[in-house]
Amino acid sequence: MLQDLHADQTGEMITVDLPLYEHPPAWIPLHERKYHPDYNNDIRQFLPRSVKLRRTKVSDALGFNVRGGKEYLCGIYISKVMTGTEAERLRLREGDQILQVNAESFTDVEHAAAVKILKSNTVIEMTLRYFPYGYSKTYEKSKLIARLQEQQRLSAAVDKR
């Protein structure tokens, strides 16, 4: 993980985590990279941003799904954004990590607690960062945890014999 200093919206300097550098695809000629649609070197897309999602009542849909959590050894990530929703209008996207909700940190929260916090508010102020690398790791970690749980279950069954 790389770190960099940037000014936030108020001008205060903040430290942000950046994904590891990936070299541009060799098939994109050097002179075309700056404006090529398959190569985006603008790191501003990874900076934290704040959004305020409003719902009329707590029973209204959030307009997005989440995955991850402390029990999966990762943060809380947006896994799907439904079309035509407030979440889509606010430009939430798959791969966004939820860092904070209504001034409560989401960096070390269990999945069920995160869902409860999100669903129990009509005004949801979120700090997000687009972090597709971390999001893709949630799939690897959940598969690993499932394998470990299966091994424990099989081991316990053998021990009972």
Side-chain angles (χ1 to χ4, degrees), residues 1-2 4 6 14-22 40-49 93-97 99 127-135:
M1 188 70 53
L2 301 173
D4 198 5
H6 284 278
I14 57 172
T15 302
V16 294
D17 291 326
L18 300 173
L20 296 176
Y21 179 77
E22 293 182 15
N40 182 353
N41 63 352
D42 184 359
I43 65 168
R44 290 177 294 182
Q45 68 178 325
F46 301 108
L47 295 175
R49 66 191 193 284
R93 61 182 171 170
E94 180 181 359
D96 276 342
Q97 182 181 10
L99 302 173
T127 303
L128 308 162
R129 71 170 175 166
Y130 181 58
F131 193 47
Y133 177 78
Y135 174 67

PDB file of all heavy atoms in Angstrom, residues 1-2 4 6 14-22 40-49 93-97 99 127-135:
ATOM      1  N   MET A   1       0.841  -1.166   0.000  1.00  0.00           N
ATOM      2  CA  MET A   1       0.000   0.000   0.000  1.00  0.00           C
ATOM      3  C   MET A   1       0.895   1.241   0.000  1.00  0.00           C
ATOM      4  O   MET A   1       1.863   1.316   0.739  1.00  0.00           O
ATOM      5  CB  MET A   1      -0.882  -0.036   1.247  1.00  0.00           C
ATOM      6  CG  MET A   1      -1.926   1.016   1.284  1.00  0.00           C
ATOM      7  SD  MET A   1      -3.260   0.844   0.105  1.00  0.00           S
ATOM      8  CE  MET A   1      -3.802  -0.798   0.432  1.00  0.00           C
ATOM      9  N   LEU A   2       0.546   2.210  -0.797  1.00  0.00           N
ATOM     10  CA  LEU A   2       1.267   3.470  -0.852  1.00  0.00           C
ATOM     11  C   LEU A   2       0.456   4.536  -0.124  1.00  0.00           C
ATOM     12  O   LEU A   2      -0.754   4.457  -0.037  1.00  0.00           O
ATOM     13  CB  LEU A   2       1.453   3.892  -2.309  1.00  0.00           C
ATOM     14  CG  LEU A   2       2.212   2.922  -3.207  1.00  0.00           C
ATOM     15  CD1 LEU A   2       2.151   3.406  -4.640  1.00  0.00           C
ATOM     16  CD2 LEU A   2       3.639   2.787  -2.759  1.00  0.00           C
ATOM     17  N   ASP A   4      -0.075   8.899   0.346  1.00  0.00           N
ATOM     18  CA  ASP A   4       0.196  10.189  -0.259  1.00  0.00           C
ATOM     19  C   ASP A   4      -0.547  11.252   0.545  1.00  0.00           C
ATOM     20  O   ASP A   4      -1.521  10.956   1.233  1.00  0.00           O
ATOM     21  CB  ASP A   4      -0.289  10.185  -1.712  1.00  0.00           C
ATOM     22  CG  ASP A   4       0.331  11.303  -2.541  1.00  0.00           C
ATOM     23  OD1 ASP A   4       1.208  12.017  -2.035  1.00  0.00           O
ATOM     24  OD2 ASP A   4      -0.073  11.449  -3.704  1.00  0.00           O
ATOM     25  N   HIS A   6      -2.765  14.747   0.505  1.00  0.00           N
ATOM     26  CA  HIS A   6      -3.622  15.566  -0.361  1.00  0.00           C
ATOM     27  C   HIS A   6      -4.430  16.497   0.509  1.00  0.00           C
ATOM     28  O   HIS A   6      -4.719  16.207   1.654  1.00  0.00           O
ATOM     29  CB  HIS A   6      -4.579  14.688  -1.175  1.00  0.00           C
ATOM     30  CG  HIS A   6      -3.919  14.004  -2.317  1.00  0.00           C
ATOM     31  ND1 HIS A   6      -3.688  14.619  -3.513  1.00  0.00           N
ATOM     32  CD2 HIS A   6      -3.418  12.760  -2.438  1.00  0.00           C
ATOM     33  CE1 HIS A   6      -3.078  13.783  -4.322  1.00  0.00           C
ATOM     34  NE2 HIS A   6      -2.906  12.641  -3.693  1.00  0.00           N
ATOM     35  N   ILE A  14      -4.537  15.639   4.328  1.00  0.00           N
ATOM     36  CA  ILE A  14      -4.878  14.315   4.813  1.00  0.00           C
ATOM     37  C   ILE A  14      -3.974  13.291   4.158  1.00  0.00           C
ATOM     38  O   ILE A  14      -3.464  13.497   3.061  1.00  0.00           O
ATOM     39  CB  ILE A  14      -6.352  13.963   4.526  1.00  0.00           C
ATOM     40  CG1 ILE A  14      -6.650  14.060   3.020  1.00  0.00           C
ATOM     41  CG2 ILE A  14      -7.301  14.818   5.331  1.00  0.00           C
ATOM     42  CD1 ILE A  14      -8.015  13.551   2.611  1.00  0.00           C
ATOM     43  N   THR A  15      -3.748  12.178   4.846  1.00  0.00           N
ATOM     44  CA  THR A  15      -2.993  11.063   4.296  1.00  0.00           C
ATOM     45  C   THR A  15      -3.984  10.077   3.713  1.00  0.00           C
ATOM     46  O   THR A  15      -4.970   9.722   4.368  1.00  0.00           O
ATOM     47  CB  THR A  15      -2.158  10.364   5.384  1.00  0.00           C
ATOM     48  OG1 THR A  15      -1.288  11.324   5.974  1.00  0.00           O
ATOM     49  CG2 THR A  15      -1.343   9.219   4.810  1.00  0.00           C
ATOM     50  N   VAL A  16      -3.749   9.643   2.483  1.00  0.00           N
ATOM     51  CA  VAL A  16      -4.651   8.682   1.845  1.00  0.00           C
ATOM     52  C   VAL A  16      -3.850   7.470   1.406  1.00  0.00           C
ATOM     53  O   VAL A  16      -2.683   7.573   1.035  1.00  0.00           O
ATOM     54  CB  VAL A  16      -5.386   9.295   0.633  1.00  0.00           C
ATOM     55  CG1 VAL A  16      -6.323  10.399   1.068  1.00  0.00           C
ATOM     56  CG2 VAL A  16      -4.425   9.803  -0.410  1.00  0.00           C
ATOM     57  N   ASP A  17      -4.497   6.307   1.498  1.00  0.00           N
ATOM     58  CA  ASP A  17      -3.902   5.077   0.994  1.00  0.00           C
ATOM     59  C   ASP A  17      -4.207   4.968  -0.487  1.00  0.00           C
ATOM     60  O   ASP A  17      -5.344   5.181  -0.907  1.00  0.00           O
ATOM     61  CB  ASP A  17      -4.471   3.859   1.723  1.00  0.00           C
ATOM     62  CG  ASP A  17      -4.038   3.803   3.167  1.00  0.00           C
ATOM     63  OD1 ASP A  17      -2.908   4.223   3.459  1.00  0.00           O
ATOM     64  OD2 ASP A  17      -4.826   3.335   4.000  1.00  0.00           O
ATOM     65  N   LEU A  18      -3.210   4.642  -1.253  1.00  0.00           N
ATOM     66  CA  LEU A  18      -3.369   4.472  -2.689  1.00  0.00           C
ATOM     67  C   LEU A  18      -3.100   3.013  -3.040  1.00  0.00           C
ATOM     68  O   LEU A  18      -2.288   2.360  -2.390  1.00  0.00           O
ATOM     69  CB  LEU A  18      -2.383   5.358  -3.452  1.00  0.00           C
ATOM     70  CG  LEU A  18      -2.487   6.856  -3.207  1.00  0.00           C
ATOM     71  CD1 LEU A  18      -1.346   7.577  -3.905  1.00  0.00           C
ATOM     72  CD2 LEU A  18      -3.816   7.371  -3.709  1.00  0.00           C
ATOM     73  N   PRO A  19      -3.770   2.502  -4.051  1.00  0.00           N
ATOM     74  CA  PRO A  19      -3.478   1.128  -4.460  1.00  0.00           C
ATOM     75  C   PRO A  19      -2.064   1.046  -5.030  1.00  0.00           C
ATOM     76  O   PRO A  19      -1.483   2.059  -5.430  1.00  0.00           O
ATOM     77  CB  PRO A  19      -4.523   0.843  -5.531  1.00  0.00           C
ATOM     78  CG  PRO A  19      -4.979   2.178  -5.997  1.00  0.00           C
ATOM     79  CD  PRO A  19      -4.782   3.132  -4.870  1.00  0.00           C
ATOM     80  N   LEU A  20      -1.517  -0.152  -5.024  1.00  0.00           N
ATOM     81  CA  LEU A  20      -0.192  -0.343  -5.597  1.00  0.00           C
ATOM     82  C   LEU A  20      -0.203   0.066  -7.066  1.00  0.00           C
ATOM     83  O   LEU A  20      -1.205  -0.100  -7.763  1.00  0.00           O
ATOM     84  CB  LEU A  20       0.234  -1.797  -5.460  1.00  0.00           C
ATOM     85  CG  LEU A  20       0.413  -2.287  -4.027  1.00  0.00           C
ATOM     86  CD1 LEU A  20       0.735  -3.781  -4.007  1.00  0.00           C
ATOM     87  CD2 LEU A  20       1.509  -1.507  -3.330  1.00  0.00           C
ATOM     88  N   TYR A  21       0.910   0.586  -7.516  1.00  0.00           N
ATOM     89  CA  TYR A  21       1.013   1.053  -8.896  1.00  0.00           C
ATOM     90  C   TYR A  21       0.956  -0.127  -9.858  1.00  0.00           C
ATOM     91  O   TYR A  21       1.595  -1.148  -9.641  1.00  0.00           O
ATOM     92  CB  TYR A  21       2.326   1.817  -9.098  1.00  0.00           C
ATOM     93  CG  TYR A  21       2.496   2.299 -10.513  1.00  0.00           C
ATOM     94  CD1 TYR A  21       1.802   3.406 -10.958  1.00  0.00           C
ATOM     95  CD2 TYR A  21       3.312   1.629 -11.396  1.00  0.00           C
ATOM     96  CE1 TYR A  21       1.929   3.855 -12.258  1.00  0.00           C
ATOM     97  CE2 TYR A  21       3.455   2.081 -12.701  1.00  0.00           C
ATOM     98  CZ  TYR A  21       2.757   3.186 -13.130  1.00  0.00           C
ATOM     99  OH  TYR A  21       2.887   3.620 -14.419  1.00  0.00           O
ATOM    100  N   GLU A  22       0.153   0.032 -10.866  1.00  0.00           N
ATOM    101  CA  GLU A  22       0.100  -0.956 -11.932  1.00  0.00           C
ATOM    102  C   GLU A  22       0.583  -0.283 -13.208  1.00  0.00           C
ATOM    103  O   GLU A  22       0.094   0.777 -13.578  1.00  0.00           O
ATOM    104  CB  GLU A  22      -1.320  -1.477 -12.128  1.00  0.00           C
ATOM    105  CG  GLU A  22      -1.822  -2.282 -10.953  1.00  0.00           C
ATOM    106  CD  GLU A  22      -3.231  -2.820 -11.201  1.00  0.00           C
ATOM    107  OE1 GLU A  22      -3.700  -2.826 -12.349  1.00  0.00           O
ATOM    108  OE2 GLU A  22      -3.852  -3.223 -10.215  1.00  0.00           O
ATOM    109  N   ASN A  40      -6.476   5.074 -17.049  1.00  0.00           N
ATOM    110  CA  ASN A  40      -6.790   6.266 -16.272  1.00  0.00           C
ATOM    111  C   ASN A  40      -5.749   6.400 -15.170  1.00  0.00           C
ATOM    112  O   ASN A  40      -5.715   5.588 -14.245  1.00  0.00           O
ATOM    113  CB  ASN A  40      -8.191   6.151 -15.666  1.00  0.00           C
ATOM    114  CG  ASN A  40      -8.575   7.393 -14.893  1.00  0.00           C
ATOM    115  OD1 ASN A  40      -7.778   8.299 -14.679  1.00  0.00           O
ATOM    116  ND2 ASN A  40      -9.814   7.431 -14.455  1.00  0.00           N
ATOM    117  N   ASN A  41      -4.911   7.391 -15.264  1.00  0.00           N
ATOM    118  CA  ASN A  41      -3.875   7.584 -14.241  1.00  0.00           C
ATOM    119  C   ASN A  41      -4.227   8.712 -13.282  1.00  0.00           C
ATOM    120  O   ASN A  41      -3.378   9.235 -12.585  1.00  0.00           O
ATOM    121  CB  ASN A  41      -2.513   7.833 -14.893  1.00  0.00           C
ATOM    122  CG  ASN A  41      -2.494   9.116 -15.711  1.00  0.00           C
ATOM    123  OD1 ASN A  41      -3.516   9.742 -15.903  1.00  0.00           O
ATOM    124  ND2 ASN A  41      -1.317   9.479 -16.180  1.00  0.00           N
ATOM    125  N   ASP A  42      -5.501   9.085 -13.218  1.00  0.00           N
ATOM    126  CA  ASP A  42      -5.952  10.152 -12.332  1.00  0.00           C
ATOM    127  C   ASP A  42      -6.216   9.566 -10.944  1.00  0.00           C
ATOM    128  O   ASP A  42      -7.224   8.890 -10.728  1.00  0.00           O
ATOM    129  CB  ASP A  42      -7.215  10.792 -12.889  1.00  0.00           C
ATOM    130  CG  ASP A  42      -7.687  11.978 -12.055  1.00  0.00           C
ATOM    131  OD1 ASP A  42      -7.042  12.288 -11.039  1.00  0.00           O
ATOM    132  OD2 ASP A  42      -8.707  12.567 -12.432  1.00  0.00           O
ATOM    133  N   ILE A  43      -5.317   9.810  -9.993  1.00  0.00           N
ATOM    134  CA  ILE A  43      -5.452   9.207  -8.664  1.00  0.00           C
ATOM    135  C   ILE A  43      -6.547   9.859  -7.833  1.00  0.00           C
ATOM    136  O   ILE A  43      -6.919   9.332  -6.785  1.00  0.00           O
ATOM    137  CB  ILE A  43      -4.120   9.227  -7.882  1.00  0.00           C
ATOM    138  CG1 ILE A  43      -3.674  10.655  -7.582  1.00  0.00           C
ATOM    139  CG2 ILE A  43      -3.059   8.449  -8.608  1.00  0.00           C
ATOM    140  CD1 ILE A  43      -2.553  10.746  -6.590  1.00  0.00           C
ATOM    141  N   ARG A  44      -7.112  10.970  -8.307  1.00  0.00           N
ATOM    142  CA  ARG A  44      -8.180  11.625  -7.545  1.00  0.00           C
ATOM    143  C   ARG A  44      -9.386  10.710  -7.351  1.00  0.00           C
ATOM    144  O   ARG A  44     -10.114  10.847  -6.382  1.00  0.00           O
ATOM    145  CB  ARG A  44      -8.601  12.923  -8.218  1.00  0.00           C
ATOM    146  CG  ARG A  44      -7.530  14.005  -8.115  1.00  0.00           C
ATOM    147  CD  ARG A  44      -7.933  15.231  -8.841  1.00  0.00           C
ATOM    148  NE  ARG A  44      -7.999  14.900 -10.281  1.00  0.00           N
ATOM    149  CZ  ARG A  44      -8.295  15.764 -11.236  1.00  0.00           C
ATOM    150  NH1 ARG A  44      -8.597  16.991 -10.928  1.00  0.00           N
ATOM    151  NH2 ARG A  44      -8.316  15.403 -12.496  1.00  0.00           N
ATOM    152  N   GLN A  45      -9.564   9.740  -8.247  1.00  0.00           N
ATOM    153  CA  GLN A  45     -10.693   8.821  -8.108  1.00  0.00           C
ATOM    154  C   GLN A  45     -10.578   7.963  -6.852  1.00  0.00           C
ATOM    155  O   GLN A  45     -11.565   7.404  -6.382  1.00  0.00           O
ATOM    156  CB  GLN A  45     -10.828   7.933  -9.348  1.00  0.00           C
ATOM    157  CG  GLN A  45      -9.677   6.942  -9.517  1.00  0.00           C
ATOM    158  CD  GLN A  45      -9.855   6.053 -10.723  1.00  0.00           C
ATOM    159  OE1 GLN A  45     -10.972   5.681 -11.072  1.00  0.00           O
ATOM    160  NE2 GLN A  45      -8.748   5.719 -11.371  1.00  0.00           N
ATOM    161  N   PHE A  46      -9.383   7.865  -6.265  1.00  0.00           N
ATOM    162  CA  PHE A  46      -9.168   7.043  -5.071  1.00  0.00           C
ATOM    163  C   PHE A  46      -9.226   7.846  -3.770  1.00  0.00           C
ATOM    164  O   PHE A  46      -9.116   7.286  -2.697  1.00  0.00           O
ATOM    165  CB  PHE A  46      -7.819   6.320  -5.156  1.00  0.00           C
ATOM    166  CG  PHE A  46      -7.706   5.430  -6.359  1.00  0.00           C
ATOM    167  CD1 PHE A  46      -6.893   5.781  -7.424  1.00  0.00           C
ATOM    168  CD2 PHE A  46      -8.432   4.252  -6.438  1.00  0.00           C
ATOM    169  CE1 PHE A  46      -6.789   4.961  -8.543  1.00  0.00           C
ATOM    170  CE2 PHE A  46      -8.343   3.429  -7.549  1.00  0.00           C
ATOM    171  CZ  PHE A  46      -7.522   3.785  -8.604  1.00  0.00           C
ATOM    172  N   LEU A  47      -9.384   9.163  -3.881  1.00  0.00           N
ATOM    173  CA  LEU A  47      -9.428   9.994  -2.678  1.00  0.00           C
ATOM    174  C   LEU A  47     -10.767   9.833  -1.956  1.00  0.00           C
ATOM    175  O   LEU A  47     -11.789   9.606  -2.590  1.00  0.00           O
ATOM    176  CB  LEU A  47      -9.228  11.463  -3.047  1.00  0.00           C
ATOM    177  CG  LEU A  47      -7.870  11.830  -3.621  1.00  0.00           C
ATOM    178  CD1 LEU A  47      -7.864  13.291  -4.051  1.00  0.00           C
ATOM    179  CD2 LEU A  47      -6.772  11.559  -2.621  1.00  0.00           C
ATOM    180  N   PRO A  48     -10.769   9.938  -0.634  1.00  0.00           N
ATOM    181  CA  PRO A  48     -12.038   9.862   0.105  1.00  0.00           C
ATOM    182  C   PRO A  48     -12.979  10.981  -0.333  1.00  0.00           C
ATOM    183  O   PRO A  48     -12.552  12.079  -0.671  1.00  0.00           O
ATOM    184  CB  PRO A  48     -11.611  10.066   1.567  1.00  0.00           C
ATOM    185  CG  PRO A  48     -10.166   9.704   1.607  1.00  0.00           C
ATOM    186  CD  PRO A  48      -9.618  10.084   0.262  1.00  0.00           C
ATOM    187  N   ARG A  49     -14.267  10.657  -0.349  1.00  0.00           N
ATOM    188  CA  ARG A  49     -15.288  11.639  -0.682  1.00  0.00           C
ATOM    189  C   ARG A  49     -16.474  11.442   0.256  1.00  0.00           C
ATOM    190  O   ARG A  49     -16.649  10.369   0.814  1.00  0.00           O
ATOM    191  CB  ARG A  49     -15.722  11.514  -2.138  1.00  0.00           C
ATOM    192  CG  ARG A  49     -16.425  10.219  -2.469  1.00  0.00           C
ATOM    193  CD  ARG A  49     -16.595  10.054  -3.976  1.00  0.00           C
ATOM    194  NE  ARG A  49     -17.518   8.995  -4.324  1.00  0.00           N
ATOM    195  CZ  ARG A  49     -17.247   7.707  -4.273  1.00  0.00           C
ATOM    196  NH1 ARG A  49     -16.056   7.282  -3.873  1.00  0.00           N
ATOM    197  NH2 ARG A  49     -18.150   6.805  -4.617  1.00  0.00           N
ATOM    198  N   ARG A  93     -20.536   3.354  -6.244  1.00  0.00           N
ATOM    199  CA  ARG A  93     -20.236   2.321  -7.226  1.00  0.00           C
ATOM    200  C   ARG A  93     -19.613   1.103  -6.575  1.00  0.00           C
ATOM    201  O   ARG A  93     -19.053   1.177  -5.477  1.00  0.00           O
ATOM    202  CB  ARG A  93     -19.336   2.851  -8.330  1.00  0.00           C
ATOM    203  CG  ARG A  93     -17.983   3.355  -7.868  1.00  0.00           C
ATOM    204  CD  ARG A  93     -17.225   3.884  -9.059  1.00  0.00           C
ATOM    205  NE  ARG A  93     -16.011   4.572  -8.636  1.00  0.00           N
ATOM    206  CZ  ARG A  93     -15.071   4.962  -9.457  1.00  0.00           C
ATOM    207  NH1 ARG A  93     -15.190   4.749 -10.741  1.00  0.00           N
ATOM    208  NH2 ARG A  93     -14.001   5.584  -9.017  1.00  0.00           N
ATOM    209  N   GLU A  94     -19.722  -0.004  -7.282  1.00  0.00           N
ATOM    210  CA  GLU A  94     -19.116  -1.243  -6.825  1.00  0.00           C
ATOM    211  C   GLU A  94     -17.626  -0.993  -6.613  1.00  0.00           C
ATOM    212  O   GLU A  94     -16.958  -0.412  -7.463  1.00  0.00           O
ATOM    213  CB  GLU A  94     -19.321  -2.341  -7.875  1.00  0.00           C
ATOM    214  CG  GLU A  94     -18.733  -3.669  -7.483  1.00  0.00           C
ATOM    215  CD  GLU A  94     -18.936  -4.736  -8.545  1.00  0.00           C
ATOM    216  OE1 GLU A  94     -19.554  -4.462  -9.594  1.00  0.00           O
ATOM    217  OE2 GLU A  94     -18.463  -5.857  -8.322  1.00  0.00           O
ATOM    218  N   GLY A  95     -17.123  -1.413  -5.462  1.00  0.00           N
ATOM    219  CA  GLY A  95     -15.711  -1.198  -5.155  1.00  0.00           C
ATOM    220  C   GLY A  95     -15.475  -0.025  -4.231  1.00  0.00           C
ATOM    221  O   GLY A  95     -14.350   0.174  -3.770  1.00  0.00           O
ATOM    222  N   ASP A  96     -16.522   0.752  -3.921  1.00  0.00           N
ATOM    223  CA  ASP A  96     -16.388   1.831  -2.936  1.00  0.00           C
ATOM    224  C   ASP A  96     -16.286   1.209  -1.542  1.00  0.00           C
ATOM    225  O   ASP A  96     -17.122   0.384  -1.174  1.00  0.00           O
ATOM    226  CB  ASP A  96     -17.600   2.766  -2.951  1.00  0.00           C
ATOM    227  CG  ASP A  96     -17.536   3.845  -4.013  1.00  0.00           C
ATOM    228  OD1 ASP A  96     -16.435   4.103  -4.528  1.00  0.00           O
ATOM    229  OD2 ASP A  96     -18.599   4.425  -4.316  1.00  0.00           O
ATOM    230  N   GLN A  97     -15.282   1.607  -0.784  1.00  0.00           N
ATOM    231  CA  GLN A  97     -15.167   1.186   0.607  1.00  0.00           C
ATOM    232  C   GLN A  97     -15.832   2.250   1.467  1.00  0.00           C
ATOM    233  O   GLN A  97     -15.586   3.448   1.302  1.00  0.00           O
ATOM    234  CB  GLN A  97     -13.714   1.023   1.027  1.00  0.00           C
ATOM    235  CG  GLN A  97     -13.579   0.542   2.461  1.00  0.00           C
ATOM    236  CD  GLN A  97     -12.131   0.387   2.912  1.00  0.00           C
ATOM    237  OE1 GLN A  97     -11.199   0.811   2.229  1.00  0.00           O
ATOM    238  NE2 GLN A  97     -11.957  -0.221   4.063  1.00  0.00           N
ATOM    239  N   LEU A  99     -15.884   4.105   4.663  1.00  0.00           N
ATOM    240  CA  LEU A  99     -14.943   4.385   5.746  1.00  0.00           C
ATOM    241  C   LEU A  99     -15.639   4.858   7.014  1.00  0.00           C
ATOM    242  O   LEU A  99     -15.183   4.586   8.125  1.00  0.00           O
ATOM    243  CB  LEU A  99     -13.927   5.441   5.296  1.00  0.00           C
ATOM    244  CG  LEU A  99     -13.107   5.096   4.056  1.00  0.00           C
ATOM    245  CD1 LEU A  99     -12.269   6.287   3.627  1.00  0.00           C
ATOM    246  CD2 LEU A  99     -12.238   3.878   4.308  1.00  0.00           C
ATOM    247  N   THR A 127     -18.523   8.583   4.319  1.00  0.00           N
ATOM    248  CA  THR A 127     -17.225   8.861   3.722  1.00  0.00           C
ATOM    249  C   THR A 127     -16.820   7.585   3.006  1.00  0.00           C
ATOM    250  O   THR A 127     -16.790   6.512   3.605  1.00  0.00           O
ATOM    251  CB  THR A 127     -16.181   9.245   4.787  1.00  0.00           C
ATOM    252  OG1 THR A 127     -16.652  10.375   5.516  1.00  0.00           O
ATOM    253  CG2 THR A 127     -14.836   9.571   4.137  1.00  0.00           C
ATOM    254  N   LEU A 128     -16.550   7.717   1.718  1.00  0.00           N
ATOM    255  CA  LEU A 128     -16.235   6.577   0.861  1.00  0.00           C
ATOM    256  C   LEU A 128     -14.901   6.800   0.175  1.00  0.00           C
ATOM    257  O   LEU A 128     -14.455   7.936   0.032  1.00  0.00           O
ATOM    258  CB  LEU A 128     -17.293   6.419  -0.235  1.00  0.00           C
ATOM    259  CG  LEU A 128     -18.753   6.376   0.163  1.00  0.00           C
ATOM    260  CD1 LEU A 128     -19.621   6.673  -1.040  1.00  0.00           C
ATOM    261  CD2 LEU A 128     -19.080   5.021   0.734  1.00  0.00           C
ATOM    262  N   ARG A 129     -14.316   5.723  -0.272  1.00  0.00           N
ATOM    263  CA  ARG A 129     -13.186   5.825  -1.192  1.00  0.00           C
ATOM    264  C   ARG A 129     -13.306   4.674  -2.171  1.00  0.00           C
ATOM    265  O   ARG A 129     -13.696   3.558  -1.806  1.00  0.00           O
ATOM    266  CB  ARG A 129     -11.843   5.777  -0.475  1.00  0.00           C
ATOM    267  CG  ARG A 129     -11.490   4.413   0.080  1.00  0.00           C
ATOM    268  CD  ARG A 129     -10.066   4.379   0.559  1.00  0.00           C
ATOM    269  NE  ARG A 129      -9.808   3.094   1.202  1.00  0.00           N
ATOM    270  CZ  ARG A 129      -8.626   2.645   1.487  1.00  0.00           C
ATOM    271  NH1 ARG A 129      -7.560   3.379   1.207  1.00  0.00           N
ATOM    272  NH2 ARG A 129      -8.461   1.486   2.066  1.00  0.00           N
ATOM    273  N   TYR A 130     -13.018   4.943  -3.408  1.00  0.00           N
ATOM    274  CA  TYR A 130     -13.025   3.895  -4.423  1.00  0.00           C
ATOM    275  C   TYR A 130     -11.752   3.087  -4.257  1.00  0.00           C
ATOM    276  O   TYR A 130     -10.647   3.617  -4.336  1.00  0.00           O
ATOM    277  CB  TYR A 130     -13.107   4.515  -5.824  1.00  0.00           C
ATOM    278  CG  TYR A 130     -13.146   3.498  -6.922  1.00  0.00           C
ATOM    279  CD1 TYR A 130     -14.145   2.527  -6.954  1.00  0.00           C
ATOM    280  CD2 TYR A 130     -12.202   3.503  -7.928  1.00  0.00           C
ATOM    281  CE1 TYR A 130     -14.192   1.585  -7.965  1.00  0.00           C
ATOM    282  CE2 TYR A 130     -12.243   2.575  -8.958  1.00  0.00           C
ATOM    283  CZ  TYR A 130     -13.237   1.613  -8.972  1.00  0.00           C
ATOM    284  OH  TYR A 130     -13.279   0.684  -9.972  1.00  0.00           O
ATOM    285  N   PHE A 131     -11.911   1.794  -3.955  1.00  0.00           N
ATOM    286  CA  PHE A 131     -10.757   0.947  -3.687  1.00  0.00           C
ATOM    287  C   PHE A 131     -11.013  -0.449  -4.264  1.00  0.00           C
ATOM    288  O   PHE A 131     -11.267  -1.411  -3.534  1.00  0.00           O
ATOM    289  CB  PHE A 131     -10.489   0.898  -2.181  1.00  0.00           C
ATOM    290  CG  PHE A 131      -9.158   0.319  -1.793  1.00  0.00           C
ATOM    291  CD1 PHE A 131      -7.995   0.705  -2.422  1.00  0.00           C
ATOM    292  CD2 PHE A 131      -9.079  -0.618  -0.784  1.00  0.00           C
ATOM    293  CE1 PHE A 131      -6.770   0.169  -2.061  1.00  0.00           C
ATOM    294  CE2 PHE A 131      -7.851  -1.157  -0.414  1.00  0.00           C
ATOM    295  CZ  PHE A 131      -6.694  -0.767  -1.046  1.00  0.00           C
ATOM    296  N   PRO A 132     -10.984  -0.571  -5.601  1.00  0.00           N
ATOM    297  CA  PRO A 132     -11.320  -1.850  -6.234  1.00  0.00           C
ATOM    298  C   PRO A 132     -10.373  -2.982  -5.858  1.00  0.00           C
ATOM    299  O   PRO A 132     -10.779  -4.142  -5.808  1.00  0.00           O
ATOM    300  CB  PRO A 132     -11.259  -1.535  -7.732  1.00  0.00           C
ATOM    301  CG  PRO A 132     -10.403  -0.311  -7.843  1.00  0.00           C
ATOM    302  CD  PRO A 132     -10.610   0.457  -6.571  1.00  0.00           C
ATOM    303  N   TYR A 133      -9.118  -2.654  -5.564  1.00  0.00           N
ATOM    304  CA  TYR A 133      -8.161  -3.698  -5.174  1.00  0.00           C
ATOM    305  C   TYR A 133      -8.609  -4.361  -3.873  1.00  0.00           C
ATOM    306  O   TYR A 133      -8.665  -5.581  -3.772  1.00  0.00           O
ATOM    307  CB  TYR A 133      -6.765  -3.089  -5.024  1.00  0.00           C
ATOM    308  CG  TYR A 133      -5.729  -4.084  -4.562  1.00  0.00           C
ATOM    309  CD1 TYR A 133      -5.179  -4.997  -5.450  1.00  0.00           C
ATOM    310  CD2 TYR A 133      -5.316  -4.118  -3.240  1.00  0.00           C
ATOM    311  CE1 TYR A 133      -4.238  -5.926  -5.027  1.00  0.00           C
ATOM    312  CE2 TYR A 133      -4.375  -5.043  -2.806  1.00  0.00           C
ATOM    313  CZ  TYR A 133      -3.843  -5.939  -3.705  1.00  0.00           C
ATOM    314  OH  TYR A 133      -2.929  -6.861  -3.282  1.00  0.00           O
ATOM    315  N   GLY A 134      -8.953  -3.564  -2.873  1.00  0.00           N
ATOM    316  CA  GLY A 134      -9.422  -4.115  -1.600  1.00  0.00           C
ATOM    317  C   GLY A 134     -10.726  -4.866  -1.765  1.00  0.00           C
ATOM    318  O   GLY A 134     -10.949  -5.909  -1.149  1.00  0.00           O
ATOM    319  N   TYR A 135     -11.610  -4.345  -2.622  1.00  0.00           N
ATOM    320  CA  TYR A 135     -12.886  -4.999  -2.868  1.00  0.00           C
ATOM    321  C   TYR A 135     -12.678  -6.377  -3.482  1.00  0.00           C
ATOM    322  O   TYR A 135     -13.305  -7.353  -3.065  1.00  0.00           O
ATOM    323  CB  TYR A 135     -13.756  -4.128  -3.777  1.00  0.00           C
ATOM    324  CG  TYR A 135     -15.034  -4.788  -4.212  1.00  0.00           C
ATOM    325  CD1 TYR A 135     -16.030  -5.075  -3.286  1.00  0.00           C
ATOM    326  CD2 TYR A 135     -15.249  -5.128  -5.535  1.00  0.00           C
ATOM    327  CE1 TYR A 135     -17.217  -5.686  -3.675  1.00  0.00           C
ATOM    328  CE2 TYR A 135     -16.429  -5.728  -5.934  1.00  0.00           C
ATOM    329  CZ  TYR A 135     -17.402  -6.014  -5.005  1.00  0.00           C
ATOM    330  OH  TYR A 135     -18.565  -6.618  -5.396  1.00  0.00           O
TER     331      TYR A 135
END
